Amino acid sequence: MSNFSVWLGQQCQEERDLLLKYQPKRFAKRGKFGDYYRWMTSFGFIEAKLELLGVQPLIEDYDLARISDVLLSPEQTQTLKLIQGAIRKSAHVLERDKTQLVGQLLGRLLDFEMPEIQRLLEQAKQSKESVWLRPLKANLELANEGALRTLVGHSKWVNAVAIAPDGLTAISASGDNTLKIWDIDSGTELRTLTGHTNSVNAVAIAPDGKTVISASGDNTLKMWDIETGTELLTLAGHTSCVNAVAIAPNSKTAISASDDRTLKIWHTKTGTEIRTLRGHTRYVNAVAIAPDGKTAISASWDHTLKIWDIESGTEVRTLIGHTSSVTAVAIALDGKTAISASWDHTLKTWDTKTGTELRTLIGHISWVNAVAIAPDGKTAISASFDKTLKIWDIESGTELLTLTGHTDSVTAVAIAPDGKTLISGSGEEDKTLKIWDTETGTEPTTLTGHTSYVNGVAIAPDGKTAISASFDNTLKIWDTETGTEVRILIGHTSSVTAVAIAPDGKTAISASWDETLKIWDTETGTELKTLTGHAGEVAAVAIAADGKTAISTSQDGALTVWEIHSGTKLRTLMDHDGLVNAFAIAPDGKTAVSFSGDFNLKIWDTDSGRELKTLTGHTGEVTAVAIAPDGNTAISASYDETLKIWDLTNSRELKTFTNHTRSVSAFTIVPDGLMAISASSDNSLTVWDLLIGKDVASFNGDYMFAGCAIATDGVTVVAGDRSGRVHFLRLEGVKQLTVDS
């Protein structure tokens, strides 16, 4: 416990609360800058204020350092910016689970060598008296990189986002059939607008900032009062999904675009349809209205854009150049240029008067979903299926910056009136919005890992090395003490789905979508053998405790037993319907438990290949299974967001663990059999006490976790996520948990 925490604990409750609420402001106002700085770099203060008042008041205390008459040195100012940045970037985690404060600070600040930051982190580590997962290296996006904040609330993908004219609020539209209004500064969800019966695909805010119009897959548009959240009107007329909407500068009319291949112009006061614009031969994806309100530009699946005279409804010209669906269009404030985005991976700039293509912006490696132009007309921001945003210089067509951080396709982007603040939205596997500062934004440092998803990890019996398997077709060997990459194993021609290390630690076996397994010398990285025989993608592999045999599973529905020394196939076990995702071998090597997409687990006799039992209970596909050291119990994980403990002797379910909010992708049992750690698509690693059936600690990453393993020492943890990062952590407080249990 820090000196600050001891001192604070000596105050009466009322005085303590007043100090936490107001003392930083008092210090700043009275010119006590040294005292202000000491408080803001004290973990005791940070923890206490977070506990009492929440994240946002704590973040706002650091804003005091920006006041011109607060005299701090450049290093002190930078230190406070970094601490604030770390807290703000983790706000969405801390709002849900304040106990993760220490892990989040370590994950974002460990790489910074400023004395006050290192002292803060040491205080943070010493404050923990319970079980927790301690990052051994900076394993999260650093405090001064990437997005400022993440907004969490939608339960499905985010389709669109718009920022109010005052720049204070934003509205998002989602596949969960709702819109949400957000306070940009605090990241707080202010209100949810419900009424649509299908995905909300687009949103536009009126120039006065008082009303908003949404477009939906339920074939309608709705007008809302932003302040009250009241639905004012429903605009009906389209015969298919409405994909986009734009409001004219005078707020009197709006234009919608639909899968019915038309655009419709509406009177916003009455909701009356004024006219229908016909001309596209496929779905109309997007529409933008020129600043003078006289023309509109539409974008379509037919690979074209069309410029329309709004008053007459006449098609003025067609813009041809894209080679695939045109997904979005934006018009600069001067009305002279427009930028389109397409599934052909490019953006194009156009002269709106002549219809001439000015240039093509090339840089994305997948579909471009959205585009926005800054108020000054000098830069544009694009959002892509490749999970990135890119900032472009419009005049030269040069890519200025790439912003990464979303874990799925970036589906939406909007720029605030100040031209500095950017908000993006993302797809089904992410569901978040992120707020960015375009002036200070930097591309995140490449953290330790692969160039694509980590599918699995394994730790050698001595605990000194780990091996990760990745979607990038490679395996990597790591030093677990330093977190450094020792060597890369190259040989597979498709995604490496799993890896297992032999009991002697000298060899490893990998499984791949290229329908093979490979045996590797872990010391030299040499490929020793390739095992062929599966008729489909190989999903998993495990090595028996004696190190002599291995079992692999495949899309062909088979479990195949191999002799490792010779690489010979010994037998095939087959009874699952379709892909066998993975399995586990009991410590005695006599039984194995497998699972597939049929939601069931099967227990096998490995010698005879006979199926012994089928375990049923999960309501979603089973994703992982492990057998406890005693061989009597097994744990399974599933897309149904649960873990289940099974009695293998009596073939019955003992317990169900629920806490994850997304599917559980992997887990590992601590060698003493008392705890387990699960990895989930909700971005978390969770520690479970198996005796009491309760989660006791969590660590949230920036991306979905896809694999985890724990060393024989019972404390060294290695995990992999969907960004390609490999995380090195230590399970702390284990003795305390064992005693308490």
Side-chain angles (χ1 to χ4, degrees):
M1 184 177 292
S2 68
N3 293 335
F4 182 94
S5 298
V6 173
W7 173 80
L8 191 63
Q10 293 171 348
Q11 313 304 310
C12 69
Q13 185 66 46
E14 182 179 359
E15 179 65 17
R16 178 179 180 274
D17 292 355
L18 289 172
L19 287 167
L20 292 172
K21 287 180 183 178
Y22 303 116
Q23 196 60 35
K25 292 178 183 176
R26 290 173 183 161
F27 284 146
K29 188 175 182 180
R30 296 170 184 173
K32 295 185 176 182
F33 309 129
D35 291 334
Y36 167 75
Y37 182 73
R38 279 189 290 276
W39 274 51
M40 301 312 297
T41 56
S42 167
F43 179 76
F45 168 75
I46 294 170
E47 182 181 43
K49 183 139 190 175
L50 175 66
E51 188 62 37
L52 178 67
L53 298 171
V55 182
Q56 189 57 28
L58 177 60
I59 292 171
E60 290 171 0
D61 279 345
Y62 288 91
D63 288 334
L64 297 170
R66 300 179 186 175
I67 300 172
S68 58
D69 57 357
V70 174
L71 303 177
L72 297 173
S73 70
E75 183 176 344
Q76 288 175 324
T77 300
Q78 179 64 9
T79 294
L80 295 187
K81 282 183 179 179
L82 290 171
I83 297 170
Q84 182 189 42
I87 295 168
R88 185 168 50 210
K89 289 175 78 69
S90 296
H92 61 293
V93 175
L94 300 176
E95 283 165 356
R96 187 180 66 253
D97 183 4
K98 295 182 177 68
T99 67
Q100 290 202 46
L101 175 62
V102 178
Q104 293 293 306
L105 290 176
L106 287 167
R108 301 195 190 281
L109 293 172
L110 263 175
D111 277 1
F112 298 100
E113 297 179 356
M114 290 90 150
E116 292 303 322
I117 285 182
Q118 291 303 315
R119 184 177 65 83
L120 169 69
L121 297 181
E122 191 57 38
Q123 291 174 358
K125 287 188 288 185
Q126 292 176 5
S127 74
K128 295 294 287 186
E129 297 178 350
S130 57
V131 176
W132 64 295
L133 287 166
R134 174 168 67 89
L136 300 178
K137 295 186 68 178
N139 61 341
L140 301 176
E141 200 171 76
L142 299 184
N144 60 346
E145 296 178 337
L148 296 176
R149 186 191 289 269
T150 299
L151 309 183
V152 176
H154 283 296
S155 60
K156 288 191 175 181
W157 59 90
V158 180
N159 289 316
V161 62
I163 299 175
D166 62 9
L168 300 178
T169 56
I171 304 180
S172 55
S174 170
D176 63 12
N177 303 357
T178 73
L179 299 105
K180 289 183 183 289
I181 303 177
W182 307 87
D183 180 283
I184 294 175
D185 185 55
S186 67
T188 306
E189 179 186 323
L190 302 176
R191 186 172 292 111
T192 297
L193 310 183
T194 59
H196 282 295
T197 58
N198 205 323
S199 172
V200 188
N201 299 324
V203 60
I205 301 174
D208 63 7
K210 295 180 179 179
T211 56
V212 61
I213 301 179
S214 55
S216 172
D218 63 14
N219 301 0
T220 73
L221 299 105
K222 289 183 183 290
M223 184 179 293
W224 311 81
D225 182 293
I226 292 179
E227 189 174 345
T228 64
T230 306
E231 180 185 325
L232 303 175
L233 289 171
T234 295
L235 313 182
H238 282 293
T239 58
S240 189
C241 173
V242 189
N243 298 316
V245 62
I247 301 174
N250 64 9
S251 296
K252 294 180 179 179
T253 57
I255 305 180
S256 56
S258 170
D259 274 1
D260 64 14
R261 306 180 186 183
T262 73
L263 297 105
K264 289 183 182 290
I265 304 177
W266 307 84
H267 193 292
T268 56
K269 188 173 182 180
T270 63
T272 307
E273 180 185 327
I274 298 172
R275 64 176 52 86
T276 297
L277 311 182
R278 304 178 191 278
H280 284 294
T281 58
R282 299 290 302 277
Y283 308 148
V284 189
N285 296 319
V287 63
I289 299 175
D292 63 8
K294 295 179 180 179
T295 57
I297 304 180
S298 56
S300 170
W301 263 75
D302 64 14
H303 303 188
T304 73
L305 298 105
K306 290 182 182 290
I307 301 178
W308 307 84
D309 181 287
I310 294 177
E311 188 174 349
S312 65
T314 307
E315 179 185 323
V316 178
R317 63 178 51 86
T318 298
L319 310 184
I320 298 174
H322 284 293
T323 58
S324 187
S325 173
V326 189
T327 53
V329 62
I331 303 174
L333 281 181
D334 63 8
K336 296 178 181 179
T337 57
I339 302 182
S340 57
S342 172
W343 277 7
D344 64 12
H345 303 187
T346 74
L347 298 105
K348 290 181 182 289
T349 60
W350 308 85
D351 182 304
T352 57
K353 187 175 182 179
T354 64
T356 306
E357 179 186 325
L358 302 176
R359 61 184 50 84
T360 298
L361 312 184
I362 299 173
H364 284 294
I365 58 173
S366 189
W367 304 334
V368 188
N369 299 318
V371 63
I373 300 175
D376 64 8
K378 295 180 179 179
T379 56
I381 292 94
S382 56
S384 171
F385 194 82
D386 64 15
K387 305 179 187 178
T388 74
L389 297 111
K390 289 182 182 289
I391 301 179
W392 307 84
D393 180 285
I394 294 176
E395 187 174 349
S396 66
T398 306
E399 179 187 325
L400 302 176
L401 188 66
T402 296
L403 304 177
T404 61
H406 281 294
T407 60
D408 199 359
S409 170
V410 189
T411 51
V413 63
I415 303 174
D418 64 8
K420 299 175 183 178
T421 304
L422 170 71
I423 302 181
S424 57
S426 187
E428 177 67 8
E429 291 192 353
D430 185 317
K431 307 175 187 175
T432 71
L433 297 106
K434 288 184 182 290
I435 302 176
W436 312 77
D437 185 321
T438 58
E439 289 189 341
T440 62
T442 58
E443 296 187 28
T445 304
T446 301
L447 294 180
T448 302
H450 290 272
T451 58
S452 189
Y453 306 163
V454 177
N455 293 318
V457 293
I459 302 177
D462 64 7
K464 294 181 180 179
T465 57
I467 303 179
S468 54
S470 172
F471 202 81
D472 66 10
N473 302 0
T474 73
L475 298 105
K476 292 192 176 200
I477 301 179
W478 307 88
D479 182 305
T480 58
E481 291 184 3
T482 63
T484 54
E485 179 184 322
V486 177
R487 62 180 51 87
I488 184 169
L489 310 183
I490 299 174
H492 284 293
T493 58
S494 190
S495 172
V496 188
T497 53
V499 62
I501 301 175
D504 62 8
K506 295 180 180 179
T507 56
I509 304 180
S510 57
S512 171
W513 279 2
D514 64 12
E515 302 184 6
T516 73
L517 297 105
K518 289 183 182 290
I519 303 176
W520 307 85
D521 182 302
T522 57
E523 188 173 337
T524 64
T526 306
E527 178 185 325
L528 302 176
K529 289 187 180 70
T530 296
L531 311 183
T532 59
H534 280 295
E537 298 167 352
V538 188
V541 62
I543 299 174
D546 61 9
K548 296 179 180 179
T549 57
I551 301 180
S552 58
T553 65
S554 168
Q555 194 177 34
D556 59 16
L559 286 86
T560 300
V561 183
W562 307 84
E563 182 183 63
I564 295 175
H565 180 70
S566 64
T568 305
K569 182 193 293 188
L570 298 178
R571 69 184 68 86
T572 296
L573 318 176
M574 186 179 295
D575 196 32
H576 277 293
D577 297 326
L579 172 67
V580 182
N581 294 317
F583 63 96
I585 303 174
D588 63 8
K590 296 180 179 179
T591 56
V593 179
S594 66
F595 60 88
S596 76
D598 58 14
F599 302 178
N600 300 325
L601 297 101
K602 291 181 182 291
I603 305 174
W604 303 86
D605 182 296
T606 56
D607 287 331
S608 66
R610 185 169 57 92
E611 179 188 330
L612 302 177
K613 288 283 184 180
T614 297
L615 307 178
T616 61
H618 281 295
T619 58
E621 185 175 332
V622 183
T623 55
V625 65
I627 299 176
D630 63 8
N632 296 323
T633 56
I635 304 179
S636 57
S638 170
Y639 276 124
D640 65 15
E641 301 173 8
T642 71
L643 295 100
K644 290 182 181 290
I645 300 183
W646 307 87
D647 180 329
L648 295 181
T649 304
N650 298 305
S651 304
R652 63 189 182 93
E653 180 185 325
L654 299 176
K655 288 175 184 169
T656 297
F657 294 168
T658 58
N659 185 47
H660 286 295
T661 57
R662 300 283 297 274
S663 62
V664 185
S665 51
F667 66 91
T668 182
I669 299 175
V670 176
D672 63 10
L674 299 177
M675 288 183 294
I677 301 174
S678 55
S680 172
S681 294
D682 63 14
N683 295 12
S684 75
L685 295 168
T686 298
V687 182
W688 303 86
D689 183 325
L690 299 180
L691 295 180
I692 62 176
K694 181 182 176 184
D695 59 295
V696 292
S698 288
F699 175 81
N700 267 70
D702 292 325
Y703 295 84
M704 299 178 186
F705 281 105
C708 63
I710 190 163
T712 52
D713 63 8
V715 294
T716 301
V717 178
V718 180
D721 70 26
R722 294 289 293 273
S723 75
R725 295 178 192 170
V726 178
H727 300 250
F728 299 89
L729 308 103
R730 183 178 175 86
L731 182 60
E732 302 282 13
V734 177
K735 292 182 180 178
Q736 181 67 37
L737 174 69
T738 308
V739 171
D740 291 345
S741 298

